[in-house]
Amino acid sequence: MTLPLSRSEVFGELRQELYDDEKFHQSDVHIFIIMGASGDLAKKKIYPTLWWLFRDGLLPEETYFVGFARSDLTVDAIRTACMPFMKVTEMEAERLSAFFARNSYISGKYAEDASFSKLNAHMLALPGGPEANRLFYLALPPTVYHDVTKNIKQHCMSTKGWNRVIVEKPFGHDLQSSEELSTHLSSLFSEDQIYRIDHYLGKEMVQNLMVLRFGNRIFGPIWNRDSVACVVLTFKEPFGTQGRGGYFDDFGIIRDVMQNHLLQMLCLVAMEKPASTSSDDVRDEKVKVLKCITPVSMSDVVLGQYVGNPEGEGDAKLGYLDDPTVPKGSTQATFATAVLYVHNERWDGVPFILRCGKALNERKAEVRLQFTDVPGDIFDNKCQRNELVVRVQPNEAIYAKMMSKKPGVYFSPEETELDLTYKSRYKDVKLPDAYERLILDVFCGSQMHFVRSDELREAWRIFTPILHQIDKEKPKPIPYKYGSRGPSEADDLVKRVGFRYEGTYKWVNPHKL
Amino acid sequence: MEPLTRSEVFGELRKELYGDKQSSHSSTHVFIILGASGDLAKKKIYPTLWWLFKDGLLPEDIYIVGFARSDLTVDKIKAACLPHMKDTDEELDSLSAFFKRNSYLSGRYDVGSSFERLNSHLSSLPGGETANRLFYLALPPTVYHHVSTNIRNHCMSCKGWNRVIFEKPFGHDLQSSQELSAHLANLFKEDQIYRIDHYLGKEMVQNLMVLRFGNRLFGPIWNRNSVACVVLTFKEPFGTQGRGGYFDGFGIIRDVMQNHLLQMLCLIAMEKPTSTSPDDVRNEKVKVLKCIAPPNMADVVLGQYVGDPGGEGDANLGYLDDPTVPKGSCTPTFATAVLYVQNERWDGVPFILRCGKALNERKAEVRLQFTDVPGDIFADRCQRNELVVRVQPDEAIYLKMMTKRPGVFFGPEETELDLTYKSRYKNVKLPDAYERLILDVFCGNQMHFVRSDELREAWRIFTPLLHQIEAAKRQPIPYTYGSRGPSESDDLIQRVGFRYEGTYKCVT
């Protein structure tokens, strides 16, 4: 292992990697338009991310940022709103000024043609504007997607450079609405202009899944139904809806987390090896594996809704229904466990368990493969199942839980792990935020970590029947206490389909001992 | 979980060992050290018995009897051993108790009456008539015949059991080894014969069985389809240190390769045994040895170290500079040999054994290098996976593999999934190999001792090569003290299929 690279060395290397790539022309002019510049996402995520990329010299020098929203704002007002989220040090003050010097703001109405003509005129007036490449980030509520996209197409497309449109979820709320939106978008833009963000695809460990699977010989022969007993994909948050339950109530946990983030991770774990690492080859495999998954059935689902913990402090005392913005008597689920099956040669019969929830006992997102028992055991049934765990957050890590001789004078087996904890092994490496990676990918024209239209369609196909059933029948979700592990019925389900929870093992961070 | 205290650990172990053998535990045991005046006795045997005694791992009623030609007393033995015994300051009471159970007899190895006298002494100890007897031969092989015969004729316990512990060398080739084995088989049954290969007492070597057979992950990849080659390594950073004369009669192949490395190879290559009972395990070891043909001279590199002009102290001296080494000796101090296991699981996979003195580091490890990823999509940037079990120093297991280069990049780079014992098991005392092995003899567990047919196979494999080397007086390749050994060795292993990338350094 070489000495850790300094920050500028890292970014120097990356710049080289990027600029050697013919798709990324350093000298072109780029304009990044933030639609919804006055909103939360813009000030908390987009502007800060752009600033970090700009600061680290990862964006082409000739990049201009244009904010657009209904409010009557100025760049200074935007700057003030963003500052708390920008993480600027004293030494960077000058660079920050340079960043904001490239920023401008236009106000207008989302449904109004004239506003967009004005926006276009403004962009043309920027230095190099007519030839510039244009990235449109829709940091907007879905209600205005139709209008905004139509107007962008009609008034704001660059004629000389390329155009890319970045959209955030929700992409519809079921198969039909999603297809409508997709059809609308494809009538306006080609697939290679559409960048649907699932920010989990920008996370270090999620991006690592492909390298782990396809770059290592040892995993090849065991990555299938012969050796894998089950796969568990988990997302847990330790806090509730925090006063924004009203918005959440329209969607529920399945639309919020399961149908996208967890399903994406499932794809990366289950897919076949692609023909190459080009975006479409990779996404082809993801779509292929999704097609083998039938819609999940109600009997393989457990739904929960958190209630307050009387002994808890602060927020923990409040249940979902205590949130004043949540409709009275709502049966919306804040927790769900579902079991999916991939009906193909590699995975037939292997349960893929997706578990997600708010107001649980910890913050955690991970992928866990549990392997089958050792056949022909000679250790008196003392061996527990091997597991390969990829911890996405917090504390990125990979570890293989396995059996070893109990160290010391004994001879029998006990559990241990082969471990790779990033903050120990890669102490000096800066792991970028998911958005930094993804926005950079848009500049480079790499769509590998964005959701393609057919991918999206398949994801909705799998979940729509059950979502409709839930919306119609309004089953009462099982109550669970804020800060607990969720309803025990979820553990029952998971055990019933084949996951063995030994309870004897606790991962020990060897670097903390 | 709180780490167990020392006495809790040993309490658990006592239960594990003696749980269902209370009757045996309460019997009297006599441990006889033949060659009590020698190096091995004072540096290893007596200290090991002391540690076991102190930790309460030996049966309560234990007596230790030393026997040698010298005119010694227990006090003199105590004085000779003390520098090699640890923890004596806090445990003076225990130490006294220990030496109170010691006695010493002098006699001649080839004289029957000496052993009659020994027997009387043994029988006169409290409970001595019915005691179980362990005889440790800490002796040069020249006296094995006499001593073993005399033990058999004069010193066997009639009521308790008898076990005889031998150290290598067990002969110097197939014929001499078979003669010795035949002689011993005349006198003792196989279940009374305990041949020590102390590597079988090491933590990580004992772990090989659990790793292989207790983990589903390794099942499908532990064969010729996924394994490109296996490298078993033993390196010492020092030379013969003035004892070259003794070493010269043997050479590195007999000293290390034919036993320690070959034992580790067995544990890696064997099939899963029917159970963990000693004979089931040893049956599998013998079975896999039978599939190994003697290595070709073309697959062997021999070396002999020369002094490093820039080195300090010992490093300045080559093997031939040792005054006890015969002039112009061709005895190798370094050897690399490639063996093949011709069975369904391993056909075509090279098992590379490498060992040497006066090299650049101290290390003993087992390394499985896996084949390349088929259908690579990462532009040939992936290096081969490796599973490494480091036996010493710093016990560890790690899996070298590819991961996404962390940070803003997407390409693959090498990393490892790691288990380093001194981090993960900070509070665990790892016993010395001899502690484990001697305890096994008390318990009657032969799993970690070499059976006669095992030994025969090990000699069968190496004898033709040894004879060929000696007949031809093959000149070993010189290598500098403190180096990696002759580069011809690297050439050999690369030729047979090991890929050395040179890009990776294990960070633990």
Side-chain angles (χ1 to χ4, degrees), chain A residues 208 216 403 408 417 425 437, chain B residues 215 385 403 407 416 424 436:
Chain A
N208 200 1
N216 289 295
M403 303 308 293
E417 66 288 320
R425 179 71 169 77
R437 255 191 259 263
Chain B
N215 289 295
N385 293 150
T403 189
E416 65 291 318
R424 180 71 171 76
R436 253 191 261 262

Side-chain angles (χ1 to χ4, degrees), chain B residues 232 257-258 261-270 284-296 299 337-344 346-353 454 456-464:
Chain B
L232 302 117
M257 193 182 276
Q258 180 263 357
L261 294 187
L262 196 63
Q263 279 293 330
M264 298 199 295
L265 189 159
C266 283
L267 292 166
I268 292 287
M270 72 193 211
E284 292 309 324
K285 288 165 89 180
V286 172
K287 182 179 175 187
V288 78
L289 285 172
K290 283 178 171 175
C291 296
I292 302 174
N296 282 319
D299 287 341
V338 185
L339 268 53
Y340 290 89
V341 179
Q342 272 129 354
N343 67 12
E344 197 172 346
W346 296 114
D347 196 11
V349 178
F351 283 76
I352 299 161
L353 284 63
E454 237 181 296
R456 180 196 68 223
E457 289 303 308
W459 279 119
R460 175 193 60 73
I461 292 167
F462 284 100
T463 297

